[in-house]
Amino acid sequence: MEQNPRPRTVLETLGEEIIRIVTPVSICMLSVVILVSILNGDPSSGGDLPVTTMATIAYSESSSDSTWDKLKGALLNSLVFVAVVTVVTFLLVLLFYLRCTKFLKYYMGFSAFLVLGFMGGEIALLLIQDFSFPVDCITFAILLFNFTVVGVLAVFMSKMAIFVTQAYLVVIGMLVAYWFTLLPEWTTWVLLVAMALYDLAAVLLPGGPLRLLVELAMSRDEDIPALVYEARPVINDSGPSGGVVRRRVWREGGDTDDNQGLSANTRSGLASDSTPGTHLSVGIGEHERNLADAEEGRVPGGDSELTTPLIQHINVRMNSSENAVPSENLALEGIGLGSSGAIKLGLGDFIFYSVLVGRAAMYDFMTVYACYLAIIAGLGVTLMLLAFYRKALPALPVSIMLGSQDMMNCCQLYDVLLLFWCFLSFSSRHVRQSNQHDYRVGISRWEAYNRVC
Amino acid sequence: MTVAAGIGYALLALGPSLSLFTAVISHKPFLILTLLSSTLVWLMSLIALSAVWRGFIPFKTAAWWPYALLILTSVASQEALRFFLWRLYKRMEELLDAFADRVSKPRLLITDKMQIALAGGMGHGVAHAVFFCISLLTPAFGPATYYVEKCSRIPFFLVSAMIALAFVTIHTFSMVIAFSGYSEGNRTDQYFAPVVHLAAGVLTLINLGSGGCIIGIPLLYGMAMLTLLHCGKLVWRRLTENRRQGNLY
């Protein structure tokens, strides 16, 4: 006996963007936890392959060392690792400066190939070994090859179905995170802290490589190739315009407002190049004279709030004289302006959180649960603060830059705090893993990881 | 216990919550966020309480009154937290209504408010189930199972899963009752949640006696049924009142 359809309240769509980021992060964390508990849970599983990786090149931890030795060794390890990452990032800046964007793109595809093919292949082999799954070499090789190639294409081309791209990004994050959990315990913790601090330094210091990269990209108005997870944009299907889908339109030219917007985006999105730190880029919609909107007869202006209640859509500003030129110089719509202001989260963050939770899975389920909730809470709060900050200061371009900068720093500080909290909760348990596995990983793979993050 | 049995116990405790989640909560992102934050808050409260009591446990006497004291203090602090959450919810409701006015959408309907309360309660229930039941399951995977002397007919994990299910039900729906009571000013509803929580907690003391779980657990399920019935009556009453007042929902 309903006279009218149920009125759609704000509860229906509020918070949708946050959920669209929280879900893949949760899936990644869950997969890493499951992998860790399957593959590392059985103490007699696998082999003890003594391996040196980039992260253990300085010191190989063994359970018989004293605490102080372990700490020193872990510090040494992370120092070496951070040094390698710094060098590689500077190399990246140099290449970007020399406009070798194609080379960077290809290298990204290559690193995705390495991660999916080799790391994924090794984990698949471990699983097959564990479950005695009957499959022959040729079938396995064909399947692995197909899987890897589709993954590389998904990362490479922006025309792939968005679900496939998202799925492959989550898989890449999961694989890299799992490999990180194989590091010795102390090295993992100190490495995470070191990467968080390095990230802060690289973005804040005037000579920091990430800052240079962002400024370069800003001045050239280009996008930086990187692996970034982009959530599906929220489509407004209610309201006066009813069912208008925003097209994927590229930004064209720009004036100061949009430049600042781009800088905020690239700066925030770009630091996702390195491991930790929450880097979110959200579109800003200030002065909307969206060509696409005008074509479809939408009402500009306050509509942006209606479409994404929590986070504003980007309203692409176009020069009325030029048409939209889709710029294909990007592997994955990268950083900068995506289509309709969907949230982007760097893959480094996926890996960071999953490593934390994966390490927790080696101890106890309650630690996993508590860490998971803390991470999700922090992520949600960061996203909401970002949205609120955007809304609170829409008109001041400088403060937006500063604001996003502050927000990014807050995100990175949050990462460091989270690390400390997790470390405290772990060290209070003192449950030691009986086997420490060190696996042999080629140096090239670690370079691939550097690019991945 | 085996992995299959472990999954079975976990589903026993959390299965109804999972179906409730899929049916009601997963469609509205805001409710998922409410569920997650509520789980976090209640889990932190449980951790804080266990940290405080860690110094006194295990009790040296075999008497039952230290346990009663433990339950009393824990229930009291949790109910205080529930009232505090109500205050927080009121503020959030104002924010949401202001936002709805700004984007010219209708304000929060009564079903919306009850759904938010349901998500909050489910967070409470899930936190309880994970803390008291699931955390016992994961370290115990292996070929054998565990029986307790005082309840020797069924495995220990099955007992804890059943008790957890009862408590999940109680927590989920008493949040709806409590929030409704606070918003309407209905004294019965306001006192319902603390009383039922305390009664349920005290009823578990019966399990301390030998063979006590045969009596204790059915009584606990009686409390859960009571909560369910009361919540159902309350929701029915409010919805029909609402409809009579002219609103359609």
Side-chain angles (χ1 to χ4, degrees), chain B residues 26-118:
Chain B
S26 65
H27 300 301
K28 306 198 175 175
F30 189 76
L31 294 179
I32 303 179
L33 291 175
T34 313
L35 174 70
L36 285 173
S37 26
S38 166
T39 310
L40 180 66
V41 165
W42 286 105
L43 183 72
M44 289 197 309
S45 83
L46 283 171
I47 291 178
L49 279 170
S50 61
V52 165
W53 275 100
R54 184 70 183 87
F56 304 98
I57 291 177
F59 290 127
K60 311 240 179 1
T61 60
W64 57 269
W65 59 266
Y67 296 107
L69 191 63
L70 166 68
I71 291 178
L72 189 66
T73 49
S74 311
V75 169
S77 44
Q78 289 213 313
E79 292 305 322
L81 181 62
R82 194 195 299 272
F83 184 70
F84 174 68
L85 282 182
W86 159 252
R87 286 301 172 117
L88 225 72
Y89 164 71
K90 271 314 264 182
R91 209 171 305 169
M92 190 182 66
E93 198 182 301
E94 286 165 24
L95 284 174
L96 284 177
D97 276 338
F99 178 74
D101 286 338
R102 221 161 26 147
V103 296
S104 14
K105 279 207 163 178
R107 296 190 145 207
L108 284 181
L109 305 170
I110 191 168
T111 46
D112 288 338
K113 299 181 191 174
M114 289 200 278
Q115 277 175 345
I116 296 178
L118 184 72

Side-chain angles (χ1 to χ4, degrees), chain A residues 2 4 6-12 14-16 18-19 238 305-306 309 365-366 369-370 373-374 376-377 391, chain B residues 28-30 32-33 36 39-40 43 96 99-100 103 105-107 109 111-112 126 130-131 134-135 138 248-249:
Chain A
E2 304 164 14
N4 317 327
R6 176 190 287 269
R8 296 176 65 94
T9 57
V10 284
L11 210 66
E12 309 262 337
L14 202 63
E16 196 156 0
I18 299 184
I19 293 296
S238 67
E305 277 201 34
L306 201 61
F365 174 70
M366 279 307 292
Y369 185 56
L373 285 178
I376 297 292
K391 279 211 188 157
Chain B
K28 306 198 175 175
F30 189 76
I32 303 179
L33 291 175
L36 285 173
T39 310
L40 180 66
L43 183 72
L96 284 177
F99 178 74
V103 296
K105 279 207 163 178
R107 296 190 145 207
L109 305 170
T111 46
D112 288 338
V126 167
V130 169
F131 194 77
I134 313 283
S135 62
T138 27
L248 276 167
Y249 285 97

Side-chain angles (χ1 to χ4, degrees), chain B residues 126-208:
Chain B
V126 167
H128 182 108
V130 169
F131 194 77
F132 285 102
C133 174
I134 313 283
S135 62
L136 301 172
L137 295 178
T138 27
F141 284 124
T145 188
Y146 186 62
Y147 285 83
V148 190
E149 270 177 33
K150 302 210 172 136
C151 195
S152 55
R153 296 183 185 269
I154 46 180
F156 167 68
F157 304 111
L158 184 56
V159 176
S160 67
M162 282 163 54
I163 296 180
L165 175 62
F167 269 103
V168 164
T169 317
I170 292 177
H171 287 321
T172 310
F173 293 103
S174 59
M175 188 72 97
V176 177
I177 298 173
F179 274 21
S180 167
Y182 286 130
S183 75
E184 280 191 318
N186 189 337
R187 285 285 167 194
T188 324
D189 292 338
Q190 283 179 18
Y191 289 135
F192 186 85
V195 166
V196 165
H197 194 178
L198 189 60
V202 167
L203 276 175
T204 57
L205 288 176
I206 300 181
N207 297 335
L208 285 177

Side-chain angles (χ1 to χ4, degrees), chain A residues 262-379:
Chain A
L262 175 62
S263 81
N265 279 337
T266 52
R267 193 181 300 254
S268 57
L270 196 246
S272 67
D273 233 5
S274 59
T275 335
T278 309
H279 310 289
L280 314 164
S281 74
V282 179
I284 310 169
E286 271 104 36
H287 316 282
E288 26 304 319
R289 245 182 305 117
N290 187 330
L291 201 59
D293 277 355
E295 282 176 357
E296 294 164 31
R298 281 182 55 128
V299 178
D303 242 14
S304 56
E305 277 201 34
L306 201 61
T307 57
T308 45
L310 207 57
I311 296 178
Q312 271 188 325
H313 264 159
I314 184 172
N315 275 320
V316 175
R317 183 187 202 139
M318 312 264 273
N319 280 332
S320 44
S321 53
E322 295 166 13
N323 294 323
V325 174
S327 58
E328 269 300 311
N329 65 345
L330 247 226
L332 179 71
E333 280 152 27
I335 305 139
L337 305 188
S339 50
S340 7
I343 296 191
K344 299 180 190 185
L345 190 62
L347 215 60
D349 293 309
F350 276 78
I351 295 169
F352 188 81
Y353 300 143
S354 308
V355 170
L356 274 175
V357 174
R359 263 279 146 203
M362 290 184 182
Y363 300 128
D364 195 5
F365 174 70
M366 279 307 292
T367 337
V368 172
Y369 185 56
C371 276
Y372 167 76
L373 285 178
I375 290 174
I376 297 292
L379 191 62

